[in-house]
Amino acid sequence: MKKLVMMALAMMVVCSAAFAQAVDQKEIRKERQEIRKLAKKELSARVDKSVKKEAKRLKKEGWVVAPGSLPLEKQLERSFTMEYEFDENLYPKYIMANAQSIGGNYDAAKTAAMSLAITNLAGQIQTEVTALIENTVANNQLSGNDAESLTETVMASKNLISQSIGRVLTVVECYRELKNGNKEVMLRIAYNGDMAKDVAKKAIRQSMEEKGQKLHEQLDQALGF
């Protein structure tokens, strides 16, 4: 159990898109099931410990928050807590993505980081939708051929998904000044899981129509609509 929880915590400090490509979907689902079994008190204690450790590391590396922002510890606490939230189908209540970017000033670096984070977010949505499709196959609710066609369409819809993403929630925002005077901004954003499924559905439908595919009912079934 201890090893499993540490694996879950590691999810929070790496790029979500890279992580999603590296870990098998069945393992992700298994980890989420185990996380949900943890007692609330135990989970809170582990989050608190992780927050302190991560905040200490970031501050040592020179990361600070902008004046008027929540303290770094509070931002990390909110981020870690949201990371653990799943619905009854083990679909994340929030899709999370990280990004860092460097610019000549704070605003330029933040704008670039946000653009990259949204691209990473689209990749995460792809991964989660693919997991839902695989789940319908495992439950004998969808044929393998239909699932393969849907998955191929999902993987080809990243740009459409990225363009369709609406307002995101900035969960962590900090920066540091580099030796050359440039600013490096680090962001962690969150997007409502239900909204993510809706965005994915619309983008995938558009892609299907462009290809003349007729898998709308199967898509609705996979996404739980």
Side-chain angles (χ1 to χ4, degrees):
M1 175 64 74
K2 181 177 180 181
K3 181 180 179 181
L4 186 59
V5 174
M6 292 303 296
M7 290 174 63
L9 293 176
M11 294 168 58
M12 305 170 187
V13 295
V14 297
C15 173
S16 295
F19 172 79
Q21 295 173 358
V23 182
D24 183 83
Q25 290 297 331
K26 292 183 180 179
E27 289 301 316
I28 294 176
R29 185 173 180 83
K30 182 178 178 181
E31 289 171 11
R32 290 175 181 172
Q33 289 173 329
E34 292 297 329
I35 290 170
R36 291 193 70 181
K37 293 178 183 179
L38 288 174
K40 186 176 181 180
K41 184 177 180 180
E42 180 182 359
L43 186 56
S44 296
R46 292 182 183 277
V47 167
D48 183 61
K49 184 176 180 180
S50 299
V51 165
K52 292 178 180 178
K53 183 177 180 180
E54 183 66 3
K56 183 178 180 180
R57 181 185 71 81
L58 291 174
K59 289 179 179 179
K60 186 176 181 180
E61 294 177 357
W63 295 98
V64 297
V65 299
S69 300
L70 283 175
L72 186 56
E73 289 81 0
K74 288 294 183 181
Q75 293 187 37
L76 290 172
E77 181 180 9
R78 179 173 60 172
S79 173
F80 287 5
T81 300
M82 291 171 69
E83 187 82 26
Y84 280 121
E85 296 187 64
F86 307 101
D87 63 20
E88 62 276 5
N89 297 313
L90 295 181
Y91 187 85
K93 287 189 176 181
Y94 299 96
I95 309 295
M96 317 286 286
N98 303 326
Q100 293 176 220
S101 188
I102 298 172
N105 56 62
Y106 186 89
D107 289 340
K110 180 179 177 180
T111 297
M114 180 60 75
S115 178
L116 179 58
I118 289 176
T119 298
N120 290 342
L121 185 64
Q124 274 292 289
I125 293 174
Q126 275 185 324
T127 300
E128 297 298 341
V129 171
T130 299
L132 289 174
I133 293 172
E134 291 178 353
N135 189 52
T136 60
V137 174
N139 294 329
N140 297 317
Q141 296 174 306
L142 191 66
S143 71
N145 289 336
D146 285 346
E148 184 176 356
S149 295
L150 278 176
T151 299
E152 289 177 355
T153 305
V154 171
M155 299 312 292
S157 303
K158 184 175 181 179
N159 287 337
L160 287 174
I161 293 173
S162 180
Q163 294 167 11
S164 302
I165 291 174
R167 183 176 179 274
V168 299
L169 175 64
T170 301
V171 183
V172 177
E173 179 180 342
C174 55
Y175 75 98
R176 60 184 175 184
E177 185 167 347
L178 305 180
K179 292 181 179 180
N180 61 4
N182 287 340
K183 299 291 192 301
E184 183 176 15
V185 172
M186 177 167 60
L187 297 177
R188 183 167 179 77
I189 61 175
Y191 198 56
N192 178 274
D194 289 335
M195 291 176 64
K197 285 195 288 185
D198 190 53
V199 163
K201 177 183 176 182
K202 291 178 180 178
I204 297 166
R205 275 183 179 274
Q206 181 178 337
S207 182
M208 284 180 180
E209 291 171 359
E210 292 174 355
K211 296 179 180 179
Q213 294 177 320
K214 297 180 179 179
L215 295 169
H216 295 172
E217 291 184 4
Q218 291 89 334
L219 176 64
D220 290 348
Q221 184 176 359
L223 298 184
F225 287 100

